[in-house]
Amino acid sequence: MSSILHRIGVEGATTTDVYDALTTIDGLAGWWTEDVSGDGTAGGRLEFRFPPVGGFDMEVLETVPSESVRWRVVEGPDEWVGTTITWSLRQEGDYAIVMFSHDGWREQVPFMNHCSTKWAVFLLSLKAMIESGKGTPAPRDVAVSDWH
């Protein structure tokens, strides 16, 4: 099994600010995709759509306020279904540190490389949204290849 791993620091933010951006519809729509619905609390389900290509449905496995969020992909591309996405948060001075992992990829295929780059794009959108109030969620995100 393979994983995608990233780390960002959000300056002037608390882990509560990041947690809210990961668990509320308005927060998620501000940095990942504008087309999001569902329930971001533990036991809930979130639906993310990225026109025109489709989307992902996540089962919210765990939410620990200001500390962590964990999702399992239950609908989406075959490579994603069954994988888990974990956000671990900690405060380091003026920075909220986000440790991100997308675990359980069955194999390292080109789509995984693409998704790693896109996760980096969206993590920078999360950082920008919290630091400046303006993220770049889909459909305003950065296109990184012919797959978008």
Side-chain angles (χ1 to χ4, degrees), residues 60-72:
V60 182
L61 298 175
E62 175 181 79
T63 56
V64 179
S66 303
E67 291 183 18
S68 65
V69 174
R70 191 163 52 98
W71 303 330
R72 179 179 27 241

Side-chain angles (χ1 to χ4, degrees), residues 106-133:
R106 291 181 293 278
E107 58 184 328
Q108 292 183 1
V109 294
F111 186 51
M112 182 181 172
N113 298 93
H114 170 79
C115 292
S116 179
T117 304
K118 287 303 290 193
W119 272 124
V121 165
F122 287 119
L123 285 165
L124 292 174
S125 176
L126 170 66
K127 177 180 170 64
M129 183 192 77
I130 295 171
E131 289 179 351
S132 73

Side-chain angles (χ1 to χ4, degrees), residues 16-36:
T16 300
D17 298 328
V18 178
Y19 179 84
D20 290 346
L22 299 172
T23 57
T24 65
I25 299 304
D26 287 343
L28 292 161
W31 67 269
W32 198 17
T33 181
E34 293 174 347
D35 189 354
V36 60

